[in-house]
Amino acid sequence: MSLQIQHDYRGAYHFSPARGWMNDPNGMVYLDGEYHLFFQYHPFGETWGPMHWGHAVSDNLVHWRELPIALAPDELGTIFSGSAVVDWHNTTGFFPEQPGLVAIFTHHDEQPGQMVRQSQSLAYSHDRGRTWQKYAGNPVLTCETRPDFRDPKVFRYEPDNSWIMIVTCGQTVALYRSFNLLQWSELSVFGEGIGSHDGVWECPDIFPLPVHNGEPDEQRWIMLVSIGDAGTSAEGSRTQYFIGQFDGTHFIPDEASQQVRWLDHGRDNYAGVSWSDIPAADGRRLYIGWMSNWRYANTTPTGSWRGAMTIARELLLEKGVDGSLQLLQIPVSELEQCRHSLLQLEQATLEQVRTALAPLRLRSYELHVVLSTTASVEWEVLSDGQHRTVIGVDAVAGTLYIDRTVSGDEVFHDHFAGRHEAVLSANEAALSAHVQVRELRIFVDRGSVEVFADGGRAVMTDLVFPTAGAERLGLMSCSDEQNEKPRISVAVYDVSTSRQA
Ligand code: FRU
């Protein structure tokens, strides 16, 4: 039987470039009412190639407008990942008139017969990121001994009015300090003997987060490190995090960081970092990731564009009743302002849910489910009756899962098909303290599924490539050991599109 594969997988409310290849989000910064999202971009092909920085802006983190390319390769190399900051106090001397943006990125230089060289460089903009000037003194930071030396993330460290850079070096990260973004001195190196070393370390980030249910002033520093795909793990590329303290020189991990912790338990959330310069009055730590996996990213069946970002998420740090800390991801609240309700059912029976969902034909939506913590449930989304993506909770095993084994086109890569799992019961203490019922927020958008369980305690992000007409949404099963007639509350929302016609 031949599959009829649909080719319009470009999300309605996720950012993807109109054409060409995209990978990591870069230079996310907020200035004058605009969220900037730059990205690793190959405009002349649908696979990874000479890297540029593409550019998009949004005023609500949901609807993105693509702008012309921000940074193109030059005599020092192609433009790898990096960050951007607002230089409020003209520390660089680039902004005598008014504050502007500085991008700090990796120049990647590959010459036949020579060792790859990666160094850190600057560019600046006086017009809200519309045009950029590369700094004449580039590169500003080189390292002769480190072949993989990339993805600088810079933040302002108020205690000593400095800039701190975190940058990866092979399978560690290094921290540097500067007072003007131009001269840098090394502070420390972190990563040996701790964390996952399944692949090269990439796209680091470090930032403080308050413990949102902790003592007043209780905070920790979070370090994100993405781990490249060396072909040795089933998962491919993925992102780990550490919780600890930063004393201005060293990152000191908490004891619990000896155990590897993953940010996302799906396959397709990589290279994500957080926004810079979010106003203090807002105070959120906002995050976005690249929704793909290096294992198969170059082969996904999307046509003239390839690569999408996750929805924007807020990161929170929570303490369980046993004292353990966990990083949570929740969809940004702006998504609630961009949706309208298609269906609402309170405490409905299985039959009522099935009857209400039967006529729906949807490819881009949010499904919100509330059920008892003792209930197991299986949903099908993007289903044509034969091919479907299954999202389930196994209350007995304490797991959340996405099964994309028969989801449409899975044959484009041997490692794509599969069932992925996240543990729901690990932080049982936190669950019993904060959650009486189980809540699932499921974001479906043509070629992707993102599941946020229990207020962001378990999160899974997976790409899928459904068949043409796979628009059904249904409750496949629901059972509860403690209740013969389980009830479920269900809401379905249309999320307004960010795509220009
Ligand atoms: C991560 C990464 C970065 C690098 C960029 C190149 O996905 O490998 O380390 O800067 O992509 O496009």
Side-chain angles (χ1 to χ4, degrees), residues 321-430:
V321 290
D322 62 353
S324 67
L325 294 171
Q326 194 195 348
L327 192 57
L328 314 182
Q329 299 180 72
I330 55 171
V332 290
S333 55
E334 283 85 345
L335 276 155
E336 284 152 56
Q337 284 131 41
C338 297
R339 69 185 192 187
H340 70 268
S341 172
L342 298 173
L343 183 112
Q344 300 265 359
L345 296 170
E346 295 292 332
Q347 294 291 310
T349 63
L350 231 130
E351 281 319 309
Q352 286 169 329
V353 175
R354 285 190 174 144
T355 308
L357 295 179
L360 294 184
R361 295 289 178 272
L362 294 171
R363 294 199 295 145
S364 295
Y365 55 95
E366 178 190 346
L367 168 65
H368 187 203
V369 180
V370 178
L371 71 170
S372 153
T373 46
T374 51
S376 293
V377 70
E378 258 192 348
W379 293 88
E380 62 174 336
V381 301
L382 299 170
S383 166
D384 65 6
Q386 281 183 308
H387 312 89
R388 56 176 63 82
T389 300
V390 178
I391 298 160
V393 167
D394 182 335
V396 179
T399 53
L400 168 74
Y401 56 89
I402 299 180
D403 192 337
R404 62 180 182 189
T405 312
V406 191
S407 53
D409 185 350
E410 328 80 31
V411 297
F412 65 89
H413 194 284
D414 286 353
H415 291 162
F416 184 77
R419 180 182 186 278
H420 313 138
E421 223 171 70
V423 173
L424 285 168
S425 55
N427 207 349
E428 197 57 56

Side-chain angles (χ1 to χ4, degrees), residues 23-24 40 48 51 80-81 106 150-151 202-203 270-271 290 294:
N23 55 292
D24 316 354
Q40 288 288 279
W48 190 84
M51 283 290 113
F80 270 24
S81 286
T106 299
R150 59 177 179 264
D151 309 340
E202 303 185 310
C203 299
Y270 191 65
W290 172 44
W294 279 118

Side-chain angles (χ1 to χ4, degrees), residues 144-405:
E144 298 306 321
T145 54
R146 294 168 173 162
D148 291 300
F149 182 50
R150 59 177 179 264
D151 309 340
K153 177 80 162 66
V154 171
F155 66 96
R156 189 86 187 143
Y157 186 61
E158 298 300 341
D160 59 9
N161 284 320
S162 66
W163 299 102
I164 306 278
M165 176 196 293
I166 184 169
V167 58
T168 62
C169 324
Q171 292 198 10
T172 57
V173 292
L175 292 162
Y176 289 81
R177 173 189 288 130
S178 172
F179 293 95
N180 57 10
L181 296 174
L182 311 174
Q183 280 101 29
W184 293 91
S185 51
E186 187 169 324
L187 294 172
S188 59
V189 173
F190 169 80
E192 247 170 68
I194 188 167
S196 166
H197 291 267
D198 280 347
V200 66
W201 286 23
E202 303 185 310
C203 299
D205 195 0
I206 181 169
F207 47 83
L209 265 191
V211 179
H212 88 95
N213 59 341
E215 303 299 319
D217 296 341
E218 194 178 352
Q219 70 154 31
R220 291 290 193 289
W221 286 74
I222 306 297
M223 186 188 288
L224 303 179
V225 179
S226 283
I227 309 294
D229 177 28
T232 47
S233 72
E235 289 83 1
S237 54
R238 49 188 172 155
T239 301
Q240 66 178 332
Y241 71 93
F242 302 95
I243 300 176
Q245 302 287 0
F246 175 60
D247 64 4
T249 304
H250 299 96
F251 174 75
I252 306 116
D254 284 2
E255 190 53 40
S257 287
Q258 295 301 331
Q259 201 189 333
V260 177
R261 281 184 284 213
W262 303 107
L263 182 67
D264 199 298
H265 298 275
R267 290 288 192 269
D268 299 301
N269 179 7
Y270 191 65
V273 290
S274 68
W275 255 273
S276 183
D277 291 279
I278 297 301
D282 177 324
R284 291 177 297 174
R285 182 57 56 173
L286 298 169
Y287 164 97
I288 205 166
W290 172 44
M291 198 157 52
S292 196
N293 189 315
W294 279 118
R295 181 68 53 91
Y296 43 71
N298 274 289
T299 60
T300 54
T302 52
S304 59
W305 62 280
R306 189 177 269 131
M309 296 302 173
T310 65
I311 53 170
R313 304 166 182 196
E314 182 182 355
L315 301 179
L316 292 174
L317 186 59
E318 183 183 73
K319 184 184 270 185
V321 290
D322 62 353
S324 67
L325 294 171
Q326 194 195 348
L327 192 57
L328 314 182
Q329 299 180 72
I330 55 171
V332 290
S333 55
E334 283 85 345
L335 276 155
E336 284 152 56
Q337 284 131 41
C338 297
R339 69 185 192 187
H340 70 268
S341 172
L342 298 173
L343 183 112
Q344 300 265 359
L345 296 170
E346 295 292 332
Q347 294 291 310
T349 63
L350 231 130
E351 281 319 309
Q352 286 169 329
V353 175
R354 285 190 174 144
T355 308
L357 295 179
L360 294 184
R361 295 289 178 272
L362 294 171
R363 294 199 295 145
S364 295
Y365 55 95
E366 178 190 346
L367 168 65
H368 187 203
V369 180
V370 178
L371 71 170
S372 153
T373 46
T374 51
S376 293
V377 70
E378 258 192 348
W379 293 88
E380 62 174 336
V381 301
L382 299 170
S383 166
D384 65 6
Q386 281 183 308
H387 312 89
R388 56 176 63 82
T389 300
V390 178
I391 298 160
V393 167
D394 182 335
V396 179
T399 53
L400 168 74
Y401 56 89
I402 299 180
D403 192 337
R404 62 180 182 189
T405 312

Side-chain angles (χ1 to χ4, degrees), residues 44-61:
F44 311 117
E46 288 91 49
T47 51
W48 190 84
M51 283 290 113
H52 298 57
W53 272 26
H55 188 195
V57 289
S58 172
D59 59 11
N60 65 1
L61 293 161

Side-chain angles (χ1 to χ4, degrees), residues 38 53 70-72 74 79 83-85 87 92 94-95 100-107 120-126 129 131-138 140 181-182:
F38 300 90
W53 272 26
L71 299 172
D74 57 39
I79 315 295
S83 52
V85 293
D87 185 12
T92 51
F94 299 155
F95 306 104
L101 294 174
V102 183
I104 308 99
F105 60 89
T106 299
H107 259 125
Q120 318 319 323
S121 289
L122 306 180
Y124 52 97
S125 169
H126 292 282
T131 60
W132 290 84
Q133 188 82 36
K134 301 235 182 68
Y135 174 52
N138 280 341
V140 295
L181 296 174
L182 311 174

